[in-house]
Amino acid sequence: MQLRSFFDEYADSSFARGIAGRSYAIIGGGFYGCVIALYLDHFGGRVTLFESDDTLLMRASYNNQARIHQGYHYPRSMITGVRCVANFQKFCQIFASSVYRDFVKLYGIARRDSLVSAAQFQTFCERIGAPLKTAPKKYRQYFDPELVEEVFETQEYAFDAVKLRQMLLGEFETSRVALRYSTRVERLSQRADGRIAVELFAGGEQLADEVFACGYSQLNTLLRRSALPLLPLKHEVAEMSLVRVPRELQELGITIMDGPYFSLMPFPAEQLHSFSHVRYTPHESWQDALLDRDPERYMQAQTIRSNFVKMRQDALRYVPLVRGCEYVRSLVQTKTVLTRNERNDGRPILLRRNYAYPGLNLVLGGKIDNIFDVCQAMATSPHAMTANS
């Protein structure tokens, strides 16, 4: 299935039929902003995409673990797990050229301090329909049996952000979307005729019938500058270490669940592995409701000292071979989530249509394959306030 063939599934929706001839501004050239721009262009919208960097997919879409989820990560959020399974195969088909499959993904369930047992994890996977089997002995031997109750082999892939960007750039070449790189949006305001003015830092403005703000960590910054109500968001300064792994681990991905958590995943864009840890990946966090801080400017002013040594020291208790991981560099990014999901670890998408005034739409994605839920929600519930996965 191709991306535009997927869009055609919504051709008969009232939303799709109303796009032609209308003007749209997309704020943010990450994965969500790009796909939404192409979606609107496909049905005849006049689309301009504003991106502050000089190319696409360089921030949250790149600086993450590059995991294509199939629900295993969310045993405490059934609905998130179900939506992951529903979207997994579709993402792998549509964005096949960016999907890296050449590794075995293992999940180990910790014996102590885990929020789920091996039996509970197995039951969860059965309920959401995620493939699961006990890992063979050749992989189980890498885990300390005193600390790891069970090891499962799963079906989970990674995406190559560079190849994904190349694919989307190819889609834009055959579209009518106007890409405006190195362009920062200062604020939004509504004109008397109902159109929305997109005011730029460099001066000038562009009017649009509708705006889709897909700026991830910058959503509330834009709302604050526009004198609009804020969303209930929490931000984390998150470090993803990139490492070279020992020979035995080169074709493996490993996650320990669910509490004393670490994860080691192939990072195909740089032919390395990413290394994250539940305790040491977050360096700092804050809520927008309690602190007026621009995440992007704050990050630019920070010098982050890597926690890799602490990550490795804790992780090697569970998988002794981790001792051989060699640090290369770290990806540091602001991770943004809805405050209501801090406790259950769910990762819903947020789609707010007609926020504050008609035509202003806010999008916050939880995971890369949630994009299909956004497209579905736009088509089937054009006036809905939220769309969860």
Side-chain angles (χ1 to χ4, degrees), residues 98 123 137 202 214 237 240 250 263 278 281 342 349 355 388:
S98 71
T123 298
K137 183 178 179 180
C214 309
V237 176
M240 195 70 63
Q250 286 177 359
S263 195
V278 69
T281 285
E342 288 185 86
I349 57 170
Y355 185 83
N388 291 324

Side-chain angles (χ1 to χ4, degrees), residues 43-61:
F43 292 112
R46 294 182 286 111
V47 183
T48 301
L49 188 151
F50 297 93
E51 168 52 42
S52 59
D53 277 329
D54 59 5
T55 188
L56 305 174
L57 274 70
M58 283 303 296
R59 299 195 180 202
S61 298

Side-chain angles (χ1 to χ4, degrees), residues 110-341:
R111 285 192 182 276
R112 294 186 286 275
D113 301 323
S114 177
L115 297 175
V116 296
S117 66
Q120 289 170 331
F121 183 72
Q122 193 165 14
T123 298
F124 168 76
C125 292
E126 290 172 355
R127 286 178 176 172
I128 66 173
L132 188 76
K133 62 182 180 181
T134 302
K137 183 178 179 180
K138 65 177 180 178
Y139 298 137
R140 295 164 65 86
Q141 66 178 332
Y142 297 153
F143 296 76
D144 185 337
E146 293 296 318
L147 295 180
V148 179
E149 178 187 0
E150 187 59 275
V151 181
F152 296 103
E153 183 175 338
T154 66
Q155 184 185 57
E156 199 169 63
Y157 302 143
F159 66 89
D160 185 322
V162 173
K163 292 182 179 179
L164 189 61
R165 181 193 306 129
Q166 292 169 343
M167 176 185 173
L168 290 171
L169 286 172
E171 292 285 346
F172 280 119
E173 287 178 359
T174 59
S175 77
R176 295 156 295 181
V177 177
L179 298 176
R180 296 194 59 179
Y181 295 121
S182 303
T183 304
R184 295 183 63 194
V185 174
E186 181 175 12
R187 67 174 63 89
L188 304 172
S189 59
Q190 190 176 40
R191 294 295 186 255
D193 63 2
R195 289 185 296 172
I196 300 173
V198 180
E199 302 175 45
L200 308 178
F201 270 96
E205 65 180 29
Q206 180 165 323
L207 297 178
D209 294 318
E210 289 197 53
V211 169
F212 282 83
C214 309
Y216 194 56
S217 67
Q218 290 297 105
L219 274 177
N220 273 345
T221 301
L222 178 61
L223 293 175
R224 187 178 280 118
R225 289 199 300 258
S226 304
L228 297 175
L230 302 184
L231 296 169
L233 299 181
K234 174 188 174 183
H235 306 283
E236 287 182 353
V237 176
E239 175 192 0
M240 195 70 63
S241 296
L242 297 183
V243 302
R244 294 187 182 91
V245 298
R247 175 183 53 81
E248 296 90 339
L249 302 182
Q250 286 177 359
E251 297 181 357
L252 295 179
I254 294 173
T255 297
I256 295 292
M257 295 288 281
D258 177 22
Y261 158 121
F262 81 89
S263 195
L264 192 66
M265 280 281 294
F267 192 80
E270 300 191 29
Q271 298 182 331
L272 297 168
H273 274 60
S274 62
F275 202 150
S276 63
H277 191 285
V278 69
R279 185 178 302 119
Y280 300 118
T281 285
H283 283 244
E284 183 181 0
S285 66
W286 70 94
Q287 294 184 24
D288 283 330
L290 304 177
L291 182 62
D292 182 355
R293 174 187 285 172
D294 181 332
E296 182 177 335
R297 291 186 178 181
Y298 180 75
M299 288 290 293
Q300 290 173 349
Q302 301 306 302
T303 300
I304 304 298
R305 183 176 181 179
S306 175
N307 281 338
F308 166 70
V309 172
K310 294 177 181 178
M311 295 182 193
R312 181 176 60 183
Q313 190 63 32
D314 186 69
L316 66 82
R317 296 185 299 140
Y318 301 93
V319 183
L321 282 171
V322 165
R323 185 182 300 276
C325 290
E326 299 177 5
Y327 178 79
V328 176
R329 71 186 188 96
S330 289
L331 304 173
V332 181
Q333 177 68 36
T334 304
K335 176 182 176 181
T336 301
V337 298
L338 295 168
T339 54
R340 71 171 182 259
N341 293 115

